[in-house]
Structures are given as structure tokens and as C-alpha cells.
Amino acid sequence: MTAEPPEKLRVRPYADEDFSAVVALEINGIHEPYRSAVFVRQQVALSPDTFLVGVEEETIVGFTVAAIVHDRPNTAWILRMMVGNGFRHCGIGTGLLREMCRLLAGRGVREIFLTVSPKNEPAVRLYTREGFNKESLVPAYFGNGEDRFIMKRTC
Ligand SMILES: CC(C)(COP(=O)(O)OP(=O)(O)OC[C@H]1O[C@@H](n2cnc3c(N)ncnc32)[C@H](O)[C@@H]1OP(=O)(O)O)[C@@H](O)C(=O)NCCC(=O)NCCS
């Protein structure tokens, strides 16, 4: 039997209201140990020039990834900012963020967005100190109980 798509199947671009259903498929489709590895591989494939690591004496102590929006090249999103547990409060996050903003500005980006949990005080403080302003608070941005500030900085 050939695997012809069913006649009743429609394929269309993603829309906001698809979020919960797509997340449910994603949860069932990728098992936990691989999820982070998938993310890193995907970001390297899509945004190799805006994937930065912080290195201290040969040790990777943190990383950050951003993506320039495909059809809006003056807009970028910082997708991850992570410093290893034992290396926090030493200025590494600040260094990664400043270098990322410098890099994006050099690429012609004029607006940088990111999302952060209102409960994540260290991150909100870091972003505010580095010139990001809260644009809005989106309830359940990542599902129930996972509200996020959208923050923006102009270059
Ligand atoms: C948020 C995060 C990236 C910050 O990284 P960090 O390396 O600790 O950030 P910094 O060290 O640059 O700044 C953090 C604090 O340390 C302070 N600090 C910096 N250098 C310091 C030093 N030499 N001595 C003491 N304190 C210092 C900063 O002033 C800052 O204090 P403040 O928050 O009171 O202003 C980190 O906590 C993290 O990875 N968290 C988990 C992942 C996460 O939440 N990511 C963000 C998701 S949106």
C-alpha cells in the first residue's frame, strides 16, 4: 500500500491557536534526554553565527543563542542565555549578553527581544541593567503557570 496522504488532510502554516496541540505532539515525539541536544543542534544549524559560548581556561562556562528574524532582518530574539551553576554572579552573563547585543547590532539589528519568567529575578535584573525594557506580560506564554515578560532593547 502506498503512503498517499489522506484526502481530508490539509497542510497549512502554523497559527498562534495551534500552540497547545503542537506542544502536545512535541512532548510525545521527543523524549526528555534528547530534547536539549535537539535544541542545540537545531540552533547551530539555523543560527551558527549568533551562537556564542563563554570560555574560561578551556571550560565552557555559559552560552547564548539568538536568531535574526528571517523576513525582518532588523529584529532579533535572544533564545537562550545560560551560565553554569558554579559560574554565576561573576559577570559571565553580562559578558555574554553584551557581546551578543554588539554582534547583533553589527548585523544591522535594531530591536532585540527576549522572554523571561517574572519569577526569574536574576535574569530580569540582568536584562534590565543591560537596557532591556518590559514590553508586556504574556499569561501562559509557555503553557499554564508559565507566564513570561517580553523584553525589548533597541540598538
Ligand atoms: C540569568 C543568568 C544568565 C545570569 O548569569 P550570571 O553570569 O550570573 O550574570 P552576572 O554575573 O553577569 O550578573 C548577575 C549578578 O552578579 C553580579 N556580579 C557580576 N560580577 C560579579 C562579581 N565579580 N562579584 C560579585 N557579583 C558579581 C552582578 O552585578 C549581578 O548582580 P545583580 O543581579 O544583583 O545586578 C544565570 O543566572 C543563569 O544562567 N540562570 C539560569 C538560566 C536562566 O535563567 N537564563 C535566563 C532565561 S531568560
Side-chain angles (χ1 to χ4, degrees):
M1 195 170 110
T2 54
E4 288 304 313
E7 262 179 41
K8 61 187 174 193
L9 175 72
R10 287 187 307 126
V11 179
R12 60 161 172 76
Y14 171 90
D16 262 355
E17 58 268 24
D18 302 328
F19 176 73
S20 302
V22 172
V23 169
L25 289 172
E26 166 79 11
I27 286 170
N28 288 327
I30 303 183
H31 300 296
E32 218 27 79
Y34 304 109
R35 194 173 302 278
S36 300
V38 170
F39 173 81
V40 172
R41 290 278 190 212
Q42 287 174 338
Q43 295 314 312
V44 172
L46 291 171
S47 308
D49 302 337
T50 49
F51 196 139
L52 303 177
V53 294
V55 188
E56 277 187 355
E57 294 168 0
E58 314 288 313
T59 301
I60 304 291
V61 293
F63 74 92
T64 180
V65 190
I68 298 174
V69 178
H70 185 60
D71 52 359
R72 276 181 289 148
N74 59 359
T75 302
W77 283 79
I78 293 179
L79 304 176
R80 283 281 195 284
M81 166 69 62
M82 191 74 67
V83 172
N85 256 324
F87 301 98
R88 292 178 189 167
H89 303 288
C90 303
I92 293 165
T94 304
L96 284 166
L97 186 58
R98 285 186 187 168
E99 180 57 18
M100 181 60 87
C101 291
R102 195 194 63 75
L103 172 67
L104 292 171
R107 295 281 161 89
V109 167
R110 292 290 159 261
E111 293 182 330
I112 306 173
F113 291 88
L114 55 82
T115 67
V116 61
S117 166
K119 297 175 199 155
N120 192 345
E121 288 172 21
V124 172
R125 260 204 315 276
L126 168 63
Y127 297 140
T128 303
R129 179 162 42 78
E130 294 300 315
F132 285 81
N133 296 308
K134 291 170 190 155
E135 285 273 291
S136 57
L137 176 64
V138 184
Y141 185 85
F142 286 132
N144 280 345
E146 296 295 341
D147 304 348
R148 290 293 182 273
F149 283 129
I150 297 197
M151 299 186 78
K152 173 181 154 185
R153 178 187 140 149
T154 48
C155 298

